[in-house]
Amino acid sequence: SDEDDEREKRKAAARKGSKASRKKVSKEQSDDESEEDKGRGKKSGRAVSKKEKEDQNNDKKGNKKGKDEENKNKTTSSSFSSPPSPADSDEESLSEGEIAALKEQVEEKKKLIATLRNKPWRMKKRLLLLNDWTNREAQDFVEKFEGALGKGKGRRLYAFKVMMTKKLIKFNRDFENFKTACIPWERKIKEVESHFGSSVASYFLFLRWMYGLNLVLFGFMFGLVVLPEVLMGLPYGSIPRKTVPRDEQATAMDFSVLFDFGGYCKYSVLFYGFYNNDRSIGVLQFKLPLSYLLTSVGIFGYSLLVVIRTMARNANEGGDGGDEGEFIFSWKMFTSWDYLIGNPETADNKYASITTSFKESIVDEQENQKDENIHLRRFLRVFANFLILCSLGGSGYLIYFVVKRSQDFAKMDPKTLTWFENNEVEFVMSLLGLVCPPLFETIAELEDYHPRIALKWQLARIFALFLGNLYTFLFALFDEVNGKLEAEKSIKNATEWALHQYYANYSSFYNTTNVPPPNVAPADVIRGPCWETAVGREFVKLTVSDVQVTFLTILVGDFLRAFIVRFLNYCWCWDLEAGFPSYGEFDISGNVLGLVFNQGMIWMGAFYAPGLVGLNVLRLLTSMYYQSWAVMACNVPHERVFKASRSNNFYMGMLLLVLFLSLLPVVYSMMTLSPSFDCGPFSGQEKMYDVVIDTIQAMPAFIGNIFTYVSNPGLIMPAILLMVLAIYYLNTVSKAYQQANTDLKKKMQMARDDEKNRRNNQDSTNQVMKDLEDLLPNKSLAPTPVAEEKPLGTLNFLIVIDKTRTTRTKPGTAGKGVEVQKEESLSAPNPRRPVTRAPGPRGGPPGNMRSPQPEPGRGRGQIKYPRPA
Amino acid sequence: MDYTNEPDCKLPLALIVDMPELKENPFRNRIVESFSEDGMGNLSFNEFVDMFSVLSEMAPRELKAIYAFKIYDYNVDNYLCKEDLEKTLNKLTKEELTPEEVELVCEKAIEEADLDGDNKLSYTDFENMISRAPDFLSTFHIRI
């Protein structure tokens, strides 16, 4: 019965399911059990009935945590008596109750095997336990009876399932690896990130994203516009617009002309002028003009969609700036090394990356700890902004002035102007572009911002400067367009007059009314000035010159500089590497802005030059390789490496702004300017969008009706109103979510602080509670024993409470103790001793008083009076 | 080293840390030492299996935390004191940080994780901190 009791106890303990209790129970009993186990059939065990087996398994449950001395002598090789084999009879004669009991057994056995894994024991211990005869039996038991209980048709199916699961896991892992390997340039960017920090890497990530966007745009333009014209349109030389005019043919193949995108380039698929205005072309009756218009609009639409989607996705990933979790440094220290690394290069990169990451967090921490005169800083910032606004205004006026002068110059004869006067505009623009950014940077040092924020200000300012560039460019362009339109009118009149004359002559000469069309070679026809192609050429030339300037700057400014510094250093008076000029740092703001504005140019020019997008794809591709090489070879990391803001939303925001800015000129020209009469897919129409209207009218009647209804102002106004309301509603909802977020964060922070304080066994940091405790009548009477020790007499109990307030709260948290801390310089610092014993009786030996902690009761908000000494 | 005749032999530390899986790891010595019974890094086969079983992806989080604590505890006093943290940090950054930076980082780490105020991290502190770390399981993992 004793044994039964014990068994019951063990059963109960086991069924509780908690390892701890079982451990306790088994530990207490393990020594007792060892004797019993020996007797109970370790060595025997043949032909035991099921009941006995249950008994043994129950025993084993009880002592599975215990370490039997006897077991040590038994190894797998020895004393492994034959397992019991009642199996056959058992399988046939399983009744309901027995099945249930067996199931329970199997579960418990499985738990045993599982928990054995979780114990931090030496392998020897575990093996011993597992090799224990009864435990081994447990494994066999599980295997055998799991099949019998129908948990799968016997072991084979189960084993098959297990194998399939393993294969599936492996397949998933390989697929994930493959997907990651497919991402282009991932390793390159990671390398840059390890050495230069996440801010520089964010530029390359942005570049890669742009490349993806441009690839899609290229796909649209190429597949829907260029390819149909090339495959199904008329070939080169068949009609006037596709042929080089006679007087240009002599120079059409010259390299300088080609490089300027004249000659054969001008009359190719690259530009607007090449496309024919047949409503549908080829076997498939592809409607080219319609496709041209819709694709151009679609490019804007798609870009808008992608930019906004990326912004939304980034916004989800949390706010701006570094992460605000707890345990930042601890996690960096203990979880940043990836134990899977086996490649020395990767290891080097990882070391650099970890170092950079620590440096970034240190910068963040130092910024947090900065504690200075707020007024001085504010004044300096206002002053700096004022200076920068002045310089921006000055440059804006300068640009306006120069553009005005160039307009006057254009009226004069070009030969009378000097080179300087001819190229005044470009000269002034380049000068501004070179001088202003460093000027802004030096002024920005007055502001003393966190580097991440300083970068944003720099970006915004240079953006404003570049808008001036854009303004002049567009202005010049529009002047050119207007000039061409004027010229076109006269040529159009001239051509029509000539045609009229020809018909009149012909009919009067041959006296027929059936006049064949004039037989003029395409190259000799009088051509209009085709302003769209001219505009397209301007954009392409601008892009190409931009590319050249960027590449040259990197080559000279970075590579040559690094080369000189490295090799001239050996024979120079002062240390070139440490002093002037040293190695360059990667200019994030300049490069990002260059990328953004370049994309703006592409968006503007894609309508007039379909080949521009393809050019841009090539440019981005080469830029990626070239710049990543240049960064690794010629640049040094910034002095203060800082973490990029987690969302890339600032760059996206600028891109969105530029997208809208570039949409406006295109839409304006589409709507108001009339297309050239003899080139392009819209030639002969009043306005470019006439194609759409014609197509709608050509469609069945009811579609036309639908469009008429939809474009009714009475329908559009309510629709706009509805959208405005929807925007307002969503805005409110998102604000509410943000508020809820901050509230929850605050709650978490408070919970953490409370827990911390509770563990430290101190007062709650609740200021009000402390104040209330102050006001208690009895407190001033009870002589706190601490008073005897402290030199400051009357401030005793204040000190007792003050001391416990000096829990370190992070600056910037729910500001509980920040200001209070400053007032408590009087009190002695908190000794922060662990609470290893209960507070001793007051008035005891001085040894107790060294850790002057109030009774724990106070911390919970209960008010206990200190026991009288 | 004749395994067939003496299955109970122990491999020396120098041989084990030469494995490709461990070669690049800055903590390889500490890893092997914490799994060896004699504390010197000589592993028998069972201990070897144990080591890789803990570091595999199937091992439970608590088990990994226990051994991670042992690995980072350089002076084996069951606490991660400041010197332990400094050594860890220097191994991680290959001593690229200045002493002030090292000091700052260790201070901050202790401040963040220490709950009982003794200026060193006990196992409870460490476990509390590491159980919330999002990438502990994925980085503390060796595939063999």
Side-chain angles (χ1 to χ4, degrees):
Chain A
S1 60
D2 278 342
E3 292 175 0
D4 285 347
D5 286 347
E6 270 187 325
R7 216 180 296 163
E8 288 309 308
K9 241 197 291 177
R10 271 180 260 138
K11 263 199 203 157
R15 275 194 208 113
K16 248 190 250 159
S18 66
K19 299 177 210 164
S21 59
R22 266 191 253 161
K23 201 182 206 160
K24 242 191 313 177
V25 166
S26 59
K27 264 205 182 114
E28 291 161 23
Q29 300 169 337
S30 58
D31 296 332
D32 308 333
E33 288 167 357
S34 52
E35 302 304 311
E36 294 163 333
D37 278 343
K38 243 211 308 204
R40 206 166 282 148
K42 281 253 173 70
K43 297 212 175 71
S44 67
R46 315 129 222 132
V48 289
S49 70
K50 216 167 25 172
K51 189 73 172 51
E52 274 189 43
K53 215 193 246 186
E54 277 185 20
D55 292 347
Q56 283 163 350
N57 292 333
N58 284 343
D59 289 345
K60 178 208 31 59
K61 246 189 312 187
N63 73 352
K64 64 179 174 264
K65 310 284 195 307
K67 207 161 79 141
D68 294 326
E69 294 305 309
E70 279 69 19
N71 287 349
K72 268 202 184 132
N73 302 331
K74 306 193 189 80
T75 57
T76 34
S77 46
S78 66
S79 87
F80 188 22
S81 5
S82 59
S85 51
D88 313 310
S89 53
D90 283 337
E91 275 176 42
E92 292 156 12
S93 60
L94 292 177
S95 68
E96 285 303 314
E98 288 165 343
I99 288 182
L102 265 177
K103 270 197 185 142
E104 205 184 313
Q105 300 261 312
V106 168
E107 287 308 315
E108 284 159 357
K109 243 44 108 243
K110 272 179 144 171
K111 265 190 230 159
L112 155 76
I113 297 180
T115 53
L116 211 50
R117 269 197 193 148
N118 294 356
K119 292 278 147 215
W121 289 350
R122 300 261 171 235
M123 207 55 172
K124 216 191 265 183
K125 246 164 128 183
R126 274 187 262 199
L127 277 178
L128 286 167
L129 218 47
L130 212 50
N131 288 336
D132 181 17
W133 188 89
T134 52
N135 293 341
R136 185 51 176 258
E137 192 190 297
Q139 260 186 320
D140 291 339
F141 186 79
V142 169
E143 284 173 12
K144 217 177 288 197
F145 281 96
E146 193 147 31
L149 286 176
K151 273 207 181 153
K153 284 279 169 203
R155 286 173 62 186
R156 247 186 248 148
L157 188 65
Y158 182 67
F160 179 71
K161 278 204 300 205
V162 167
M163 187 193 72
M164 286 313 287
T165 322
K166 281 197 202 142
K167 279 213 157 79
L168 191 69
I169 293 178
K170 184 169 192 308
F171 174 73
N172 276 341
R173 194 165 67 202
D174 286 339
F175 187 62
E176 288 295 326
N177 283 349
F178 175 70
K179 272 205 301 198
T180 319
C182 271
I183 302 179
W185 307 311
E186 184 74 4
R187 197 194 306 177
K188 214 179 281 281
I189 296 184
K190 273 243 149 38
E191 217 179 316
V192 171
E193 186 173 14
S194 326
H195 290 268
F196 291 88
S198 52
S199 49
V200 171
S202 74
Y203 165 72
F204 285 98
L205 288 171
F206 189 51
L207 180 59
R208 185 174 69 185
W209 183 88
M210 284 287 229
Y211 175 73
L213 173 67
N214 273 289
L215 214 54
V216 174
L217 295 184
F218 173 68
F220 278 157
M221 209 59 170
F222 191 73
L224 293 174
V225 172
V226 176
L227 215 52
E229 182 69 24
V230 164
L231 292 179
M232 301 190 280
L234 301 169
Y236 170 83
S238 49
I239 46 177
R241 68 185 63 180
K242 299 200 183 197
T243 342
V244 179
R246 187 72 64 183
D247 40 354
E248 287 180 30
Q249 272 185 356
T251 57
M253 265 310 260
D254 289 353
F255 181 72
S256 58
V257 170
L258 277 182
F259 203 66
D260 205 26
F261 291 98
Y264 282 113
C265 263
K266 186 168 165 191
Y267 299 96
S268 69
V269 262
L270 276 180
F271 293 107
Y272 174 98
F274 187 80
Y275 295 85
N276 201 8
N277 69 335
D278 285 343
R279 275 310 153 85
S280 28
I281 54 175
V283 175
L284 298 170
Q285 294 296 303
F286 187 80
K287 295 189 174 25
L288 187 74
L290 185 66
S291 150
Y292 195 98
L293 191 69
L294 289 181
T295 311
S296 308
V297 174
I299 281 182
F300 284 106
Y302 177 76
S303 311
L304 184 67
L305 191 71
V306 167
V307 169
I308 293 204
R309 189 178 64 182
T310 315
M311 279 180 91
R313 204 183 295 156
N314 283 345
N316 272 344
E317 285 179 18
D320 191 31
D323 47 359
E324 305 131 12
E326 48 171 343
F327 302 136
I328 300 172
F329 283 94
S330 324
W331 284 349
K332 275 206 194 333
M333 203 183 290
F334 295 118
T335 65
S336 57
W337 180 264
D338 188 356
Y339 281 54
L340 277 170
I341 291 178
N343 177 7
E345 263 176 40
T346 322
D348 277 339
N349 274 350
K350 193 68 179 172
Y351 282 123
S353 148
I354 291 180
T355 313
T356 311
S357 161
F358 269 116
K359 287 205 173 132
E360 286 174 357
S361 295
I362 291 176
V363 164
D364 275 342
E365 183 63 30
Q366 282 169 345
E367 287 290 325
N368 273 344
Q369 283 179 355
K370 240 191 326 199
D371 193 34
E372 283 168 23
N373 193 346
I374 291 200
H375 298 292
L376 180 67
R377 216 200 272 189
R378 276 204 202 128
F379 169 72
L380 282 178
R381 283 187 186 164
V382 167
F383 183 58
N385 274 326
F386 172 71
L387 281 179
I388 288 184
L389 274 174
C390 284
S391 44
L392 275 176
S395 62
Y397 179 69
L398 187 62
I399 292 178
Y400 171 73
F401 178 69
V402 163
V403 165
K404 213 138 179 273
R405 261 173 46 128
S406 77
Q407 279 184 316
D408 297 336
F409 286 153
K411 296 195 185 96
M412 293 162 31
D413 188 5
K415 298 211 186 11
T416 57
L417 303 170
T418 63
W419 174 88
F420 178 71
E421 283 167 346
N422 247 335
N423 300 324
E424 201 174 35
V425 180
E426 283 94 5
F427 185 72
V428 166
M429 307 266 269
S430 324
L431 202 67
L432 279 177
L434 276 177
V435 163
C436 280
L439 179 69
F440 290 165
E441 260 181 57
T442 8
I443 297 182
E445 280 178 24
L446 274 179
E447 294 180 330
D448 200 17
Y449 275 124
H450 187 294
R452 197 182 307 135
I453 303 182
L455 177 67
K456 290 207 177 119
W457 277 99
Q458 178 77 353
L459 277 171
R461 287 170 186 149
I462 302 187
F463 186 78
L465 184 70
F466 278 13
L467 280 182
N469 269 2
L470 204 64
Y471 159 76
T472 51
F473 179 73
L474 285 177
F475 209 75
L477 215 56
F478 264 138
D479 273 353
E480 207 179 319
V481 169
N482 280 335
K484 288 226 153 61
L485 277 175
E486 294 296 324
E488 186 181 285
K489 277 199 196 107
S490 58
I491 291 189
K492 194 172 173 181
N493 287 339
T495 352
E496 276 179 12
W497 190 85
L499 208 61
H500 187 77
Q501 282 289 77
Y502 166 79
Y503 281 132
N505 284 348
Y506 199 88
S507 48
S508 72
F509 193 68
Y510 287 108
N511 223 354
T512 55
T513 42
N514 194 5
V515 184
N519 191 8
V520 187
D524 292 325
V525 175
I526 302 174
R527 310 284 301 279
C530 204
W531 62 271
E532 293 98 342
T533 305
V535 169
R537 276 183 71 207
E538 285 299 313
F539 277 112
V540 173
K541 281 200 293 196
L542 184 71
T543 308
V544 168
S545 76
D546 201 26
V547 169
Q548 288 169 332
V549 167
T550 318
F551 282 24
L552 270 175
T553 327
I554 293 182
L555 201 61
V556 170
D558 280 340
F559 182 66
L560 218 58
R561 173 177 172 180
F563 198 76
I564 288 177
V565 167
R566 170 68 69 87
F567 290 108
L568 222 53
N569 209 12
Y570 294 126
C571 48
W572 202 261
C573 9
W574 73 83
D575 189 1
L576 285 173
E577 283 185 3
F580 178 82
S582 82
Y583 298 105
E585 291 180 349
F586 186 76
D587 178 16
I588 302 178
S589 50
N591 276 304
V592 167
L593 278 177
L595 207 58
V596 166
F597 273 100
N598 171 61
Q599 190 60 35
M601 292 291 130
I602 302 298
W603 276 323
M604 273 198 266
F607 180 67
Y608 301 107
L612 186 58
V613 191
L615 230 65
N616 198 36
V617 168
L618 278 175
R619 168 225 160 96
L620 287 176
L621 194 63
T622 46
S623 182
M624 182 56 150
Y625 287 106
Y626 185 59
Q627 281 191 307
S628 56
W629 165 79
V631 146
M632 293 298 288
C634 322
N635 285 346
V636 286
H638 290 243
E639 233 176 82
R640 299 176 80 204
V641 184
F642 58 95
K643 198 181 318 206
S645 88
R646 222 199 278 159
S647 59
N648 238 354
N649 266 358
F650 194 69
Y651 299 164
M652 288 296 153
M654 280 198 306
L655 199 62
L656 198 63
L657 190 61
V658 165
L659 176 61
F660 278 123
L661 283 179
S662 54
L663 182 64
L664 291 175
V666 177
V667 170
Y668 174 76
S669 65
M670 239 194 260
M671 295 291 158
T672 45
L673 299 177
S674 50
S676 300
F677 75 98
D678 69 338
C679 67
F682 308 116
S683 57
Q685 291 162 15
E686 273 298 312
K687 290 277 186 309
M688 291 190 189
Y689 56 81
D690 284 347
V691 200
V692 180
I693 297 186
D694 289 346
T695 322
I696 294 180
Q697 283 171 349
M699 284 200 261
F702 70 92
I703 296 186
N705 278 344
I706 294 178
F707 273 105
T708 327
Y709 289 148
V710 165
S711 56
N712 186 2
L715 197 61
I716 293 194
M717 287 307 289
I720 292 182
L721 201 62
L722 194 67
M723 282 194 278
V724 168
L725 284 176
I727 289 177
Y728 177 70
Y729 168 72
L730 288 173
N731 197 21
T732 320
V733 165
S734 92
K735 280 213 180 73
Y737 281 148
Q738 275 178 347
Q739 184 62 30
N741 253 352
T742 37
D743 282 344
L744 282 171
K745 274 196 193 143
K746 249 190 241 168
K747 266 196 207 151
M748 270 172 52
Q749 183 68 26
M750 281 192 345
R752 263 182 253 141
D753 286 341
D754 275 348
E755 193 181 309
K756 223 179 199 170
N757 288 328
R758 208 178 315 136
R759 288 196 195 216
N760 286 345
N761 222 8
Q762 291 170 350
D763 264 350
S764 71
T765 50
N766 192 347
Q767 190 64 19
V768 177
M769 280 304 297
K770 289 198 194 106
D771 288 342
L772 279 178
E773 287 171 7
D774 271 354
L775 294 173
L776 287 173
N778 277 350
K779 202 171 283 186
S780 44
L781 299 179
T784 53
V786 188
E788 297 158 10
E789 303 275 309
K790 297 303 154 205
L792 307 165
T794 49
L795 293 172
N796 287 339
F797 65 85
L798 269 177
I799 290 174
V800 168
I801 299 174
D802 283 353
K803 224 182 296 290
T804 60
R805 276 194 213 143
T806 56
T807 53
R808 270 190 262 168
T809 55
K810 296 206 184 91
T813 53
K816 268 185 292 287
V818 176
E819 277 128 68
V820 180
Q821 278 180 346
K822 296 224 172 88
E823 301 164 36
E824 287 159 355
S825 44
L826 291 176
S827 56
N830 185 5
R832 307 257 289 169
R833 244 3 96 106
V835 178
T836 46
R837 55 184 181 312
R842 301 284 169 182
N848 266 355
M849 295 310 124
R850 254 182 296 120
S851 40
Q853 283 152 354
E855 292 172 330
R858 255 192 231 159
R860 308 287 150 78
Q862 304 166 22
I863 299 167
K864 285 210 188 116
Y865 306 130
R867 278 171 270 147
Chain B
M1 217 146 297
D2 195 359
Y3 190 65
T4 29
N5 294 338
E6 300 171 43
D8 230 355
C9 66
K10 283 185 184 271
L11 292 182
L13 177 73
L15 202 59
I16 299 178
V17 298
D18 250 349
M19 281 180 72
E21 285 88 355
L22 288 180
K23 202 160 46 138
E24 298 296 332
N25 198 319
F27 303 115
R28 51 187 182 273
N29 287 330
R30 277 301 307 154
I31 296 177
V32 180
E33 279 168 18
S34 48
F35 280 96
S36 74
E37 204 161 319
D38 57 3
M40 298 301 292
N42 302 311
L43 297 185
S44 71
F45 177 68
N46 285 334
E47 291 159 356
F48 183 83
V49 170
D50 202 16
M51 172 168 79
F52 279 104
S53 127
V54 167
L55 288 168
S56 77
E57 63 184 346
M58 306 286 292
R61 184 185 265 272
E62 299 78 24
L63 196 56
K64 288 198 190 226
I66 293 175
Y67 278 103
F69 185 76
K70 282 169 97 173
I71 289 175
Y72 294 125
D73 186 6
Y74 276 81
N75 50 8
V76 204
D77 61 350
N78 262 351
Y79 283 103
L80 296 178
C81 53
K82 198 126 173 265
E83 289 74 33
D84 292 333
L85 293 185
E86 279 175 10
K87 285 211 194 93
T88 311
L89 188 59
N90 280 327
K91 277 259 161 41
L92 269 180
T93 59
K94 275 194 172 167
E95 309 196 6
E96 289 259 340
L97 295 179
T98 68
E100 298 86 33
E101 290 172 341
V102 170
E103 176 81 22
L104 176 67
V105 171
C106 295
E107 280 284 332
K108 284 296 298 181
I110 292 186
E111 182 193 320
E112 284 169 0
D114 191 14
L115 293 171
D116 43 20
D118 55 357
N119 259 359
K120 46 191 178 161
L121 305 182
S122 69
Y123 175 67
T124 348
D125 303 335
F126 182 79
E127 210 253 328
N128 174 48
M129 178 263 292
I130 214 88
S131 59
R132 284 166 226 254
D135 34 352
F136 173 60
L137 280 180
S138 54
T139 52
F140 197 72
H141 166 212
I142 294 186
R143 204 175 290 152
I144 190 172

